[in-house]
Amino acid sequence: MRTALITGSGRREGLGFETARQLAAEGFHVILSARRLDQVEPLAAELVEEGFDASALDLDLLDRASVAAAARQVEERFGRLDVLINNAAMMVASPTVADKDLDELMLEFQTNVVGRWSVTQQMLPLLVAGGHGRIVNVSSGAGSFWDPDYGLVNYPGFEMDRFGEMPITAYALTKTALNGLTIKTAKELKDANVLVNAVCPGVTATRPGSEGWARPVADSAKGVVWAATLPDDGPTGLFFRDGKQLPW
């Protein structure tokens, strides 16, 4: 059975959990992970009750020892990993560049870039061992130079005034860096049959009150699952939304 690890999957209404559910429906054993085991154990049990294969794992992106321990647990139980979904992220409403708290900025970069890099490093031998590894970096159009507003205005169902008082400059820059990391990782793994892509899920209804203007979580997860289940001759080192390539 193919295995998939999804970081940041500790919220029932979140993108990570829905991605896990859809991958489980594709026949994967899904490993739900979050900083605390009690966040993901009930959700994994819920999937098992529905007839899927699932398990729970505590994994703190900001703790390298935690990441290394998680990799050891995956190796001991499964011997390999077929899919890594780097989903866990942090977005803080930011003031202007001039006023941004730099300690907060460092935490966002540690979470969205360095933490994902750490997970990728530790899981890489397991992805290579499987012979058909897939890495999906959940990114955002906010990190695209192509987006005319360097933000979210082109997403389906987006209303500009919803974010009018919530600048996301720091978050956007972390996603730009993540997109660059995607390209570099894909080049390094070209000969190892590990495909690495970035996916923008679009503005997604993961918070109460967002259902009327953001897209359903199930719709957003489909694009992530698509990248996770690409054939061996599929694309790598690219940026997608809903299976369609986006410019950087």
Side-chain angles (χ1 to χ4, degrees):
M1 178 177 289
R2 293 174 296 172
T3 58
L5 170 64
I6 305 97
T7 67
S9 48
R11 293 176 58 247
R12 178 171 283 101
E13 65 275 20
L15 180 66
F17 180 57
E18 178 59 28
T19 298
R21 183 192 297 279
Q22 292 188 20
L23 282 171
E26 293 283 338
F28 282 83
H29 177 100
V30 293
I31 308 168
L32 285 71
S33 72
R35 286 178 293 178
R36 300 198 322 269
L37 197 57
D38 61 5
Q39 291 178 303
V40 284
E41 280 184 325
L43 298 180
E46 184 177 316
L47 292 180
V48 171
E49 289 176 3
E50 294 176 14
F52 298 126
D53 287 285
S55 57
L57 183 67
D58 57 317
L59 191 162
D60 184 346
L61 295 179
L62 301 181
D63 184 340
R64 294 182 190 176
S66 171
V67 176
R72 287 195 298 271
Q73 291 182 56
V74 173
E75 181 178 21
E76 290 169 2
R77 179 168 180 183
F78 303 101
R80 73 179 199 281
L81 183 65
D82 297 290
V83 172
L84 170 62
I85 309 289
N86 280 316
N87 172 66
M90 175 184 184
M91 182 172 73
V92 179
S94 304
T96 64
V97 171
D99 296 329
K100 175 67 176 178
D101 181 281
L102 296 185
D103 290 333
E104 185 180 80
L105 173 66
M106 289 295 294
L107 183 57
E108 287 183 79
F109 268 91
Q110 286 288 331
T111 303
N112 298 350
V113 183
V114 180
R116 292 179 177 208
W117 195 324
S118 175
V119 174
T120 299
Q121 275 189 339
Q122 292 293 330
M123 300 297 170
L124 192 52
L126 300 174
L127 289 160
V128 173
H132 305 275
R134 305 289 181 264
I135 300 173
V136 182
N137 290 322
V138 178
S139 185
S140 171
S144 170
F145 293 110
W146 152 79
D147 193 312
D149 287 276
Y150 203 54
L152 303 168
V153 295
N154 286 336
Y155 287 17
F158 177 74
E159 296 178 10
M160 186 63 182
D161 59 355
R162 293 282 182 170
F163 285 79
E165 297 180 356
M166 194 181 83
I168 54 170
T169 300
Y171 175 79
L173 290 173
T174 67
K175 295 302 186 176
T176 303
L178 179 66
N179 287 351
L181 178 61
T182 298
I183 296 172
K184 296 294 186 182
T185 308
K187 288 182 177 179
E188 289 186 13
L189 300 178
K190 183 178 181 180
D191 296 328
N193 202 30
V194 177
L195 305 183
V196 188
N197 290 291
V199 170
C200 167
V203 176
T204 305
T206 58
R207 300 291 179 182
S210 61
E211 298 85 356
W213 54 272
R215 65 193 310 206
V217 179
D219 290 350
S220 295
K222 289 177 182 178
V224 180
V225 172
W226 171 83
T229 55
L230 286 169
D232 286 347
D233 61 351
T236 188
L238 298 176
F239 187 24
F240 297 95
R241 184 190 298 139
D242 298 329
K244 299 178 181 178
Q245 187 178 347
L246 298 176
W248 297 110

